[in-house]
Amino acid sequence: MTDPDERRNPPFERDPSLQVPPALLGRYNARVLDPSTAVQVPGQPQAMPTVYLADRLLVHGVADTAARDALTEAAAQHGLALQPPLLHEERSRQRAELARRAGVDGPSVHDSIAVNLVPTGTGPVEAPDAWRVLQTYRGNVGRAGAAGRQVALDHLISATRHTQGSPFPPRASAAPMPMDSYGTPGFGGRGPVQWMGARPHRSAEFSGRRPVVAVLDTGVGKHPWFDAVPGLITRDPHCGGAAIGFQDAATDPEATGVITDPLEGVLDSDSGHGTFIAGLIHQMCPDANILSARVMPSDGAVPEHVLLDALNLLALRQQLAQQEGREDEIIDILSLSLGYYHEQPEDVTFDPLLLHPLRALAQTGVIIVAAAGNDATTRPMFPAAFTTFPGALGQDRAPIVSVGARNPDGTIALFSNGGDWVTCFRPGAGLVSTFPVTFDGSGQPPFRVEAADGTRAAYDPDNFSCGFGTWSGTSFAAPILAGEIAAAMAGTSCLPVDAAAMIKRSWDAAGLTLNLEPR
């Protein structure tokens, strides 16, 4: 008989518990895939927990008519029909023209779309379940064939722990876990602090082209470090006439920080996320410019199709900029502080759409830096875990690297994911960086009095008018590495900007910062 202790996995090997708040699931009509009840196709590996949109599927740009017809039939078997999002045809034409200019002929990943699953007929039907439709489709076309890889779940990608996270939020629990302390102000949690040092020194004159770090996140709010320096932050990137990410002011997480529940006025879980990241990059490399594309709302959750849309446009923008000689639109590094756990990463049908635009960017010379996640697990989180995929460290493209978090004393942070897919570790706990000076939530000091010498008060937990705060998470280890790489590049002219020169420059910088060499 096997000793029970021999069957017990160590805690670091556990599968992360995807405890998604019901309000967040409802906001996106999302579900957590339960392996014990998930419909399977014969011969398919056991499914693993993931979070996905219940009423949407992603269709690969190379899917042919037969595959699309098969998906329509699979949806019909569940009383559902496929409905492209509004403006789909106009958007597809626009992308096709941009792809043609970039030298991409025929259907491509740039045409990938999300299709809605909507009930048909007049009678009652069960709520749409994208997983059941996908499995029916795979059963009809064969999961091992090319068609089986042309349709996928629309995952809910996130920067929040337990959804799949990268920053460490406060967590109320009757039985707190050992790593929950990281969410407490004073122990690395989000809270205002004073910055008494000088602002990062940025060279007034710069020889050549400044390195550019692109950040797809919540955007960048108002802050003296950024607002007084022309060209330091680009907040509204476009490709052709198409906006990359969201650019509407009404839902900007970096304005007031209060979007989800304005009646209570509490700062949302991920408000300030992008501004904090931008401040870390600026501290590590003041001479770098930052391109900020807003893809993440203040709740820290991003439907995969939204991220894909931004990444595909960013890849097209880079390709066009290189071909048409627009040096001012070139990016050198992409920093991503979000991720998801795939339900079947070992399955032959695993063909993540997310990998394609990242590869396209890497082939133009852009280094991809991704946060490893905060669930204290070795289960691969994507896109960070793409580091182990064939070609991720190939000489014909810039590298993809993943970053875990360290404590201030140099030990690995208790929350940080690990495993052979994590390239390196950087500081990610108790960091100090920028917050929008416009943040002042409904939290109040427990004591406040008007005295002869002025207003006296206790600590206000969510007033960031000082412009600085603390936070923890692998979300913030990633931009530290991105800033290190930018600093290594800043020692060069960052010219020329053709793909071959940029790939070499990327590997030179990776060698200086990581001792990383192509395989």
Side-chain angles (χ1 to χ4, degrees):
M1 180 178 294
T2 304
D3 185 333
D5 288 339
E6 293 181 8
R7 300 196 306 268
R8 189 178 304 153
N9 288 329
F12 199 67
E13 300 295 330
R14 65 175 174 81
D15 198 46
S17 176
L18 304 185
Q19 301 172 10
V20 188
L24 188 62
L25 292 176
R27 194 174 301 141
Y28 294 95
N29 193 15
R31 297 187 182 186
V32 179
L33 185 67
D34 184 349
S36 67
T37 59
V39 174
Q40 295 293 117
V41 174
Q44 194 176 47
Q46 174 72 31
M48 301 175 72
T50 194
V51 188
Y52 65 99
L53 273 62
D55 59 350
R56 288 203 176 197
L57 284 168
L58 296 176
V59 180
H60 203 295
V62 299
D64 55 20
T65 301
R68 293 171 186 263
D69 289 345
L71 181 58
T72 301
E73 173 59 27
Q77 290 179 240
H78 294 272
L80 303 168
L82 305 180
Q83 184 183 84
L86 295 176
L87 303 179
H88 161 62
E89 292 185 3
E90 178 183 347
R91 186 171 58 187
S92 292
R93 286 195 295 269
Q94 185 183 43
R95 302 298 167 82
E97 172 58 23
L98 290 170
R100 185 194 63 76
R101 283 173 52 193
V104 180
D105 297 323
S108 73
V109 296
H110 301 298
D111 303 319
S112 301
I113 62 166
V115 294
N116 299 322
L117 300 171
V118 296
T120 59
T122 58
V125 296
E126 293 184 3
D129 185 350
W131 174 255
R132 287 181 173 271
V133 175
L134 176 61
Q135 292 296 76
T136 299
Y137 167 80
R138 287 171 170 170
N140 292 346
V141 302
R143 66 182 182 87
R149 298 192 296 272
Q150 293 174 358
V151 181
L153 292 177
D154 191 356
H155 298 93
L156 190 62
I157 300 174
S158 176
T160 301
R161 182 174 171 243
H162 299 308
T163 313
Q164 275 98 254
S166 294
F168 210 93
R171 177 171 176 255
S173 174
M177 298 294 290
M179 54 189 176
D180 286 340
S181 62
Y182 286 99
T184 304
F187 292 87
R190 182 176 63 176
V193 297
Q194 293 279 10
W195 176 281
M196 302 306 295
R199 71 188 314 164
H201 174 70
R202 182 174 168 94
S203 304
E205 302 278 338
F206 192 85
S207 177
R209 194 187 125 261
R210 293 182 186 271
V212 178
V213 183
V215 179
L216 271 58
D217 212 271
T218 60
V220 177
K222 292 184 178 180
H223 193 277
W225 277 11
F226 308 135
D227 299 337
V229 183
L232 173 55
I233 301 286
T234 297
R235 290 184 171 94
D236 57 350
H238 284 72
C239 178
I244 302 176
F246 305 121
Q247 297 181 5
D248 57 303
T251 59
D252 185 357
E254 308 300 281
T256 66
V258 180
I259 302 292
T260 302
D261 196 350
L263 296 183
E264 290 190 356
V266 177
L267 289 182
D268 294 342
S269 64
D270 287 75
S271 292
H273 193 251
T275 304
F276 198 87
I277 286 171
L280 292 171
I281 294 169
H282 189 52
Q283 290 178 61
M284 299 305 298
C285 184
D287 282 320
N289 289 337
I290 299 169
L291 181 146
S292 171
R294 178 155 60 92
V295 299
M296 186 189 299
S298 58
D299 60 16
V302 184
E304 188 174 359
H305 72 270
V306 172
L307 181 60
L308 283 173
D309 187 69
L311 284 171
N312 283 322
L313 276 175
L314 192 63
L316 281 173
R317 182 181 187 268
Q318 181 81 354
Q319 292 164 347
L320 288 169
Q322 287 180 327
Q323 292 177 17
E324 298 173 6
R326 292 198 301 275
E327 294 177 0
D328 59 326
E329 292 189 3
I330 294 293
I331 65 172
D332 301 273
I333 305 155
L334 173 61
S335 182
L336 295 173
S337 294
L338 38 69
Y340 76 99
Y341 297 103
H342 196 276
E343 66 277 6
Q344 291 174 318
E346 304 303 326
D347 191 1
V348 292
T349 62
F350 177 52
D351 186 22
L353 293 174
L354 186 55
L355 179 59
H356 293 285
L358 296 180
R359 277 181 167 164
L361 283 164
Q363 287 168 347
T364 67
V366 176
I367 295 184
I368 315 296
V369 180
N374 298 338
D375 290 300
T377 182
T378 57
R379 181 179 172 188
M381 191 182 86
F382 297 94
F386 287 141
T387 55
T388 60
F389 273 51
L393 299 177
Q395 198 162 8
D396 62 338
R397 65 191 66 172
I400 300 175
V401 296
S402 57
V403 193
R406 291 193 184 276
N407 291 313
D409 65 0
T411 58
I412 295 174
L414 199 60
F415 59 77
S416 181
N417 286 356
D420 60 3
W421 53 276
V422 178
T423 309
C424 63
F425 293 85
R426 287 297 184 272
L431 293 166
V432 177
S433 189
T434 47
F435 271 89
V437 295
T438 52
F439 278 17
D440 185 8
S442 60
Q444 297 295 319
F447 302 97
R448 182 183 179 94
V449 64
E450 298 298 329
D453 55 354
T455 301
R456 289 173 170 265
Y459 189 86
D460 189 332
D462 59 6
N463 185 329
F464 288 88
S465 58
C466 60
F468 298 93
T470 59
W471 218 342
S472 296
T474 60
S475 266
F476 311 126
I480 283 180
L481 176 61
E484 288 181 9
I485 294 171
M489 289 182 174
T492 72
S493 66
C494 289
L495 292 171
V497 295
D498 60 280
M502 288 190 62
I503 290 170
K504 181 182 184 304
R505 195 155 55 242
S506 293
W507 277 110
D508 288 344
L512 288 173
T513 56
L514 296 167
N515 294 320
L516 196 63
E517 296 181 356
R519 298 172 185 169

